[in-house]
Amino acid sequence: MLPYADLTPPERELWDAFPEGRPVDLRTGTSGPDTPDAGARQSPGHPIRAAVVTALLLGANQEERPGAVAALRLAGARITGRLDLSGAEIPHMLSLEDCGLDEGIGLSGATTRTIRITGSRIPGIDAELARIEGDLDLRRSVVEGGPLILVNARVTGNLLLTDAGVSGPGEWAVLAGGLGVEGGFFGDRLTTRGGLRLPGARLSSGLFLRGTRLENPGGVALAAGGVAAPAVDCSRGFTARGAVRLRNARVENLLTFEGAHLDGNGTALDCAAMQVGEFDLRPAVPPSGTVDLRFVQAAWYRDSERSRPEEVLLDGFTYGSIRFEETTPESGGCAGGDGTPAGDEVARRLAWIRRNPGYAPQPYEQLAAWYRRIGHDGDARRVLLAKQRHHHRTLHPAGRMWGLLLDATVGYGYRPWLAGVWLLTLALLGTLVFGAGSPSPVKPGEGAPFQPLVYSLDLLIPIGGLGQRSGWYWTDGACRWLAYALTAAGWVLSTTVVAGVTRTLHRN
């Protein structure tokens, strides 16, 4: 217990005010507007020992005042020594405003009420396994020289880091794996030197990082794998210099990167195996790294062509609806903004799929399934035709040649009318050439008279016969070779038609 006589005048003022929860303001008023370093400029003449703050919070002055609630409210002070409350049960609120702390704060394993340290400078906070019954409010504060540690901490209110700055000596500025927040994590305009680490965090009201800047070049700017939240908002100028990792995250409603800057230099955004309600991937500029969407499950997905990365991993990506938004001079607005194809959106979607390295059938099939679901069967066939063309480009030379033949004749079964066009063209060619010649009958005086069109069709149809092919032959070399060519073409057309129809029936 600290003797009252040993307290300095500012400490006595704080001591006397504590039972009533009265604020003690030691600010000189010489500073400008509240800023994160305001306390550092205002407090040098008003030191308060950390031991005094600790003693009050642990019950040193329990004088009861009718109608009053004890609380420590201090502004404009310099806290000397280490404020160590590790493992303690603290039944009182702590509020520090525009203060400067000489050493870090220890809250590891502590149970406390609301902690509010705003506009202050702190050399580090260790609140691992802490339980805070209320808010943890660090708005406008600067945590430097040591990380903000919230590993497996529990906050029953909100975690407020709006306009704060955090830096650590190593790779991570904020260590908060397993953090549980019953309110929201509000970090709008937060700046860090080092990454923000939140694996397995449970954020009941969401993660809000609008305008936040996370600096960890060459490393991970945001590690939130397995995070569970109703919303994750990384928009309005959110900047990550380093990778953003959301593997296995569960976002019930909205995940947005609208207007964000993702500078990963390798992997810019990793969302593999994530589950999300609405996914808005429209950063301000294309991400400078790979975007990994493998096995993501999204109810809605929205993007724009101007913000697509050079490489996107799409294998296993499924979505209930997909929306393409792009302002173009031709459309005068958003193309496909209502979720239906507009203009040349199919071509743009296919170009998006081709940014997936190598060949993967699932992205094509997923896109085709969506087009079918909204009643655009023609666009679905176009997507599946592109899938077959991409697949056959990966085969050996013989397979590629067969693919080209299937494509030219029946469009891999998605354009069977092409076979009719070829049949009609070759029949007309044969009619013109054979009509100008003079064939010889196999058996003079027997059989039907020569008919060029029927003869050409008889050559092109390999099964059965119309009686012309077996009743006439050519002595003229050109006509004889054309007859051979039409017979061969008939077999090729028949084979490709059967292959195309088989593929179509198998698909259905």
Side-chain angles (χ1 to χ4, degrees):
M1 179 73 67
L2 291 171
Y4 186 80
D6 291 345
L7 302 180
T8 64
E11 291 172 346
R12 290 181 182 179
E13 184 180 356
L14 179 64
W15 192 278
D16 295 337
F18 174 77
E20 298 180 358
R22 286 187 287 106
V24 175
D25 193 341
L26 303 178
R27 288 175 289 200
T28 63
T30 57
S31 293
D34 290 343
T35 59
D37 63 342
R41 294 198 304 267
Q42 294 172 333
S43 59
H46 304 287
I48 299 287
R49 286 173 291 173
V52 175
V53 175
T54 301
L56 287 171
L57 292 174
L58 296 181
N61 185 3
Q62 293 295 321
E63 180 182 353
E64 295 186 3
R65 306 287 174 86
V69 178
L72 196 150
R73 305 173 190 270
L74 178 62
R78 175 188 170 195
I79 310 297
T80 62
R82 178 171 173 78
L83 184 57
D84 192 354
L85 299 165
S86 299
E89 293 189 11
I90 305 166
H92 310 295
M93 186 187 79
L94 170 63
S95 175
L96 302 177
E97 183 177 0
D98 293 340
C99 292
L101 287 84
D102 287 353
E103 299 183 36
I105 299 176
L107 290 168
S108 179
T111 300
T112 79
R113 297 291 181 89
T114 290
I115 295 178
R116 183 175 294 120
I117 307 176
T118 59
S120 300
R121 189 177 293 278
I122 315 160
I125 300 176
D126 184 356
E128 183 175 358
L129 294 170
R131 180 173 180 85
I132 300 171
E133 302 285 347
D135 295 341
L136 175 57
D137 187 352
L138 300 175
R139 289 174 295 171
R140 300 180 293 106
S141 289
V142 173
V143 181
E144 60 181 359
L148 171 59
I149 302 175
L150 296 168
V151 176
N152 294 318
R154 294 294 179 268
V155 181
T156 64
N158 297 310
L159 174 57
L160 304 167
L161 289 169
T162 303
D163 295 313
V166 186
S167 61
E171 180 181 1
W172 303 106
V174 179
L175 289 161
L179 171 68
V181 181
E182 294 182 17
F185 185 128
F186 296 94
D188 294 351
R189 299 177 300 282
L190 166 69
T191 60
T192 70
R193 288 201 301 273
L196 173 58
R197 194 169 190 274
L198 293 168
R202 298 295 182 266
L203 311 173
S204 298
S205 294
L207 174 62
F208 303 94
L209 299 175
R210 292 166 294 217
T212 294
R213 185 175 186 89
L214 307 177
E215 297 272 353
N216 193 17
V220 179
L222 174 60
V227 72
V232 175
D233 190 342
C234 300
S235 64
R236 304 182 191 177
F238 170 85
T239 300
R241 293 195 64 202
V244 173
R245 292 183 178 172
L246 293 168
R247 278 179 170 253
N248 297 297
R250 302 295 180 267
V251 184
E252 298 172 17
N253 299 317
L254 175 66
L255 167 62
T256 177
F257 289 94
E258 182 181 7
H261 298 263
L262 304 174
D263 185 3
N265 291 327
T267 297
L269 177 62
D270 183 354
C271 296
M274 179 180 68
Q275 294 180 13
V276 60
E278 182 174 354
F279 189 3
D280 187 344
L281 186 54
R282 293 180 295 160
V285 295
S288 61
T290 299
V291 171
D292 190 346
L293 302 180
R294 288 175 296 177
F295 302 100
V296 170
Q297 299 177 33
W300 282 80
Y301 176 72
R302 178 187 306 173
D303 70 354
S304 65
E305 187 176 30
R306 68 177 178 274
S307 57
R308 288 176 180 166
E310 288 297 320
E311 183 175 87
V312 56
L313 307 182
L314 294 170
D315 197 15
F317 179 29
T318 59
Y319 40 84
S321 183
I322 192 166
R323 178 175 296 178
F324 179 87
E325 295 190 1
E326 186 72 70
T327 302
T328 60
E330 295 80 5
S331 65
C334 290
D338 61 352
T340 60
D344 198 23
E345 185 190 345
V346 178
R348 289 188 291 234
R349 280 289 167 211
L350 291 173
W352 170 62
I353 290 176
R354 285 193 291 270
R355 296 182 185 224
N356 183 74
Y359 167 70
Q362 188 274 337
Y364 290 100
E365 293 164 0
Q366 170 64 35
L367 182 59
W370 177 70
Y371 278 131
R372 281 205 194 99
R373 195 159 53 246
I374 62 174
H376 292 259
D377 292 338
D379 291 325
R381 288 192 296 272
R382 183 177 170 188
V383 171
L384 293 173
L385 175 58
K387 168 196 163 187
Q388 292 296 334
R389 287 171 172 169
H390 191 172
H391 170 61
H392 279 82
R393 286 198 298 271
T394 66
L395 300 179
H396 51 78
R400 288 199 298 271
M401 291 299 296
W402 175 244
L404 290 173
L405 187 59
L406 283 174
D407 193 4
T409 53
V410 289
Y412 295 101
Y414 299 106
R415 293 177 175 176
W417 51 268
L418 281 175
V421 172
W422 280 105
L423 184 63
L424 180 60
T425 302
L426 293 174
L428 290 176
L429 174 62
T431 301
L432 292 174
V433 175
F434 295 140
S438 298
S440 300
V442 174
K443 295 181 179 180
E446 298 182 11
F450 180 73
Q451 300 180 46
L453 176 59
V454 179
Y455 180 77
S456 300
L457 291 174
D458 204 0
L459 293 173
L460 289 167
I461 300 173
I463 300 175
L466 301 177
Q468 291 281 307
R469 179 176 49 191
S470 59
W472 301 89
Y473 70 95
W474 296 93
T475 56
D476 178 80
C479 290
R480 186 170 62 251
W481 282 109
L482 177 59
Y484 296 154
L486 290 182
T487 301
W491 279 104
V492 170
L493 278 173
S494 299
T495 304
T496 55
V497 166
V498 169
V501 170
T502 301
R503 179 177 286 109
T504 302
L505 293 175
H506 177 71
R507 181 180 66 253
N508 292 338

